[in-house]
Amino acid sequence: MGEPAPLGRVGRFFARVDRAAGGYAVDLVLYALSAGFALITATNSTLLPHRAWGSIAVWAYTGAFVVAALQFTGYLLTRRRAGSRVAALFGNGSRAAVTWAVWAAAALVPLVVQAMQRADGRTDRAQEEVLVVEHMGERLLNDGTPYLSRDTIAALPEADRLMGYSPYQPGMSIFGIPRALFGDVWWTDSRVWFAVFTALALIAAVMVLRSARTFPTVRALQAVTVLPICALTLATGGDDIPVLAFCLLALALAATDRYGWAGVAVGAAAACKLFALPVVAVLAILAMAVARGGRLLPGAIGLPILVLIPPFQVNQDGFLENVIRFPLGHGLVTSPAQSPFPGYLIAQNVPHGRYLTLGLLAAVAVVITVRMLWWPPRRADTAALICGWGLLAAILLMPTTRFGYLLYPVAFMVWAAALRPAHRNHTATSRPLDDAALYRL
């Protein structure tokens, strides 16, 4: 593999900030801001699951801040003795260990607590998407499709119609099957299984990158674990986190020339949520640019198609109503995903604004597609940047979207640094590479 392309000016600035004081300076700021966010959430959020998360997470982040402060002090005292055993205690290994511990304390502990309280009868310990996914699993087992038809939803009481919709790909119903099979116990909560698959995917991504001596940065792990938007999402709702983790695993596999498995990983993500389809498209172009399309495409395209077979055999229109019409605003009820981004504001305040936002989305998609076809990415870090910028544009322009979706572009952009080839003799089969300069910050 060729020498990595240099970072742009903005990229170099952020790299210097990230490395300041061995990374501990940013760690301190991250954990301090996270503790503040958790405290504000615990005391002011109007969503009860969020308040419950904040009341636990604030202590996790506060403890992390104290530990990071001790690490920072130790680093300053030992940085001139980099070869000593004492200094080794303050390297990236210890920072990574703290990251995993904080994730467990700020995300997994609140998740399990809420799941147990919910199993004991509390009805305010899960967001609506948790119930939607569990209903999908139940319908899949009983009816052969996780979707209700438009007529069936219309026959529900008006107050229940929103919960009748399941705006996910059929693969998401897998996380709801344990509840359908074993009943209302804490470990059948769909969030528990979101967390299990997320942990497996992230551990696999770290191991894959380390096997190629392309070490993932601690910041990359933090961006998908301890960042409050991720920890809060996993503990209270969670359906986006395993999708994101599988996409990151796919990029890590592509970075190490394992395109067959990368196709399986990104295909699994797209089988759960349409949000992963842009990542499929970018990885497909990357794979074809380096003559690996035959390895990636069967899993990347085959899995999303395979999961459609049962619902299409039962009721094709049910899929279209739930996964296509409802998110686009053509369902019987309005989606609650209405964060005040430009697309939502245009759709609400401009005549025919919804069609205008869809036109803008289409225009952005065309621009990105043409650019990729003209200058196809040939490295996984470039692909990650394209995914990040593309999804950021989509989130800002979609007529119905959530603030929490920002976790996708943030994670992709931060992970791009971890995917950059670290050695001149890295074993991949692409051409001499300078394409990252086309997409660099």
Side-chain angles (χ1 to χ4, degrees):
M1 179 174 284
E3 187 71 14
L7 290 172
R9 183 177 301 174
V10 177
R12 289 195 298 270
F13 169 76
F14 281 109
R16 286 196 299 271
V17 172
D18 180 60
R19 292 193 298 265
Y24 294 113
V26 175
D27 286 353
L28 284 170
V29 174
L30 170 64
Y31 293 135
L33 293 177
S34 298
F37 178 88
L39 178 61
I40 293 172
T41 302
T43 55
N44 293 284
S45 177
T46 58
L47 300 174
L48 294 181
H50 287 202
R51 293 173 71 99
W53 169 81
S55 65
I56 297 175
V58 63
W59 298 108
Y61 289 127
T62 301
F65 176 81
V66 173
V67 172
L70 294 174
Q71 290 180 312
F72 177 67
T73 303
Y75 171 83
L76 294 179
L77 293 174
T78 61
R79 61 180 176 175
R80 293 184 179 180
R81 302 166 56 199
S84 71
R85 292 182 180 180
V86 176
L89 296 175
F90 304 101
N92 273 348
S94 64
R95 292 178 60 222
V98 171
T99 298
W100 288 113
V102 176
W103 186 53
L108 302 186
V109 170
L111 186 160
V112 171
V113 169
Q114 292 199 33
M116 294 179 69
Q117 291 176 341
R118 181 184 172 213
D120 288 338
R122 291 288 297 267
T123 58
D124 59 352
R125 285 298 179 262
Q127 291 186 185
E128 292 177 346
E129 53 263 38
V130 175
L131 282 67
V132 168
V133 170
E134 291 169 357
H135 291 162
M136 289 180 70
E138 183 179 358
R139 294 185 195 119
L140 180 65
L141 290 180
N142 296 334
D143 306 325
T145 176
Y147 306 114
L148 297 177
S149 67
R150 186 179 181 92
D151 291 340
T152 303
I153 296 173
L156 295 173
E158 187 172 350
D160 296 336
R161 290 177 184 173
L162 178 61
M163 292 297 295
Y165 277 99
S166 303
Y168 307 115
Q169 286 278 78
M172 188 66 76
S173 59
I174 293 174
F175 298 101
I177 288 179
R179 198 77 162 188
L181 289 176
F182 302 104
D184 297 341
V185 291
W186 73 267
W187 58 268
T188 63
D189 191 298
S190 60
R191 290 170 293 182
V192 172
W193 297 98
F194 292 151
V196 168
F197 279 85
T198 297
L200 292 175
L202 291 178
I203 291 170
V206 170
M207 293 177 65
V208 164
L209 292 175
R210 283 185 173 175
S211 70
R213 297 186 178 181
T214 304
F215 294 98
T217 66
V218 173
R219 204 71 66 217
L221 285 176
Q222 290 172 337
V224 72
T225 55
V226 302
L227 199 68
I229 193 173
C230 296
L232 169 63
T233 299
L234 182 60
T236 61
D239 56 277
D240 285 297
I241 304 299
V243 174
L244 173 61
F246 275 112
C247 289
L248 296 175
L249 173 58
L251 286 164
L253 290 163
T256 55
D257 200 29
R258 296 174 172 91
Y259 280 91
W261 286 111
V264 173
V266 77
C272 293
K273 204 161 188 178
L274 288 178
F275 226 81
L277 287 183
V279 184
V280 172
V282 174
L283 280 176
I285 293 175
L286 167 65
M288 289 186 286
V290 297
R292 293 293 185 267
R295 296 184 183 179
L296 181 128
L297 293 177
I301 297 177
L303 283 177
I305 293 176
L306 184 64
V307 298
L308 291 177
I309 294 177
F312 268 54
Q313 286 181 332
V314 176
N315 187 345
Q316 178 179 339
D317 188 68
F319 169 83
L320 298 175
E321 175 67 19
N322 285 263
V323 183
I324 306 298
R325 298 190 192 115
F326 175 68
L328 292 178
H330 298 290
L332 296 172
V333 293
T334 302
S335 171
Q338 297 178 351
S339 296
F341 291 133
Y344 172 75
L345 296 176
I346 292 172
Q348 295 297 314
N349 300 294
V350 176
H352 306 292
R354 183 172 295 276
Y355 297 101
L356 177 59
T357 57
L358 295 178
L360 290 173
L361 276 172
V364 170
V366 169
V367 170
I368 294 175
T369 300
V370 170
R371 187 180 180 98
M372 283 196 299
L373 293 176
W374 192 260
W375 291 298
R378 292 187 175 86
R379 282 213 316 250
D381 61 316
T382 307
L385 286 175
I386 297 172
C387 291
W389 288 115
L391 285 174
L392 178 61
I395 291 166
L396 294 178
L397 291 175
M398 287 172 62
T400 55
T401 187
R402 293 181 186 272
F403 177 80
Y405 289 159
L406 290 175
L407 62 89
Y408 285 95
V410 169
F412 285 131
M413 292 178 188
V414 175
W415 269 72
L419 298 170
R420 286 176 60 83
H423 299 284
R424 186 185 298 272
N425 61 351
H426 194 283
T427 57
T429 57
S430 58
R431 309 178 200 174
L433 301 171
D434 60 0
D435 61 292
L438 297 171
Y439 304 96
R440 65 191 176 193
L441 293 173

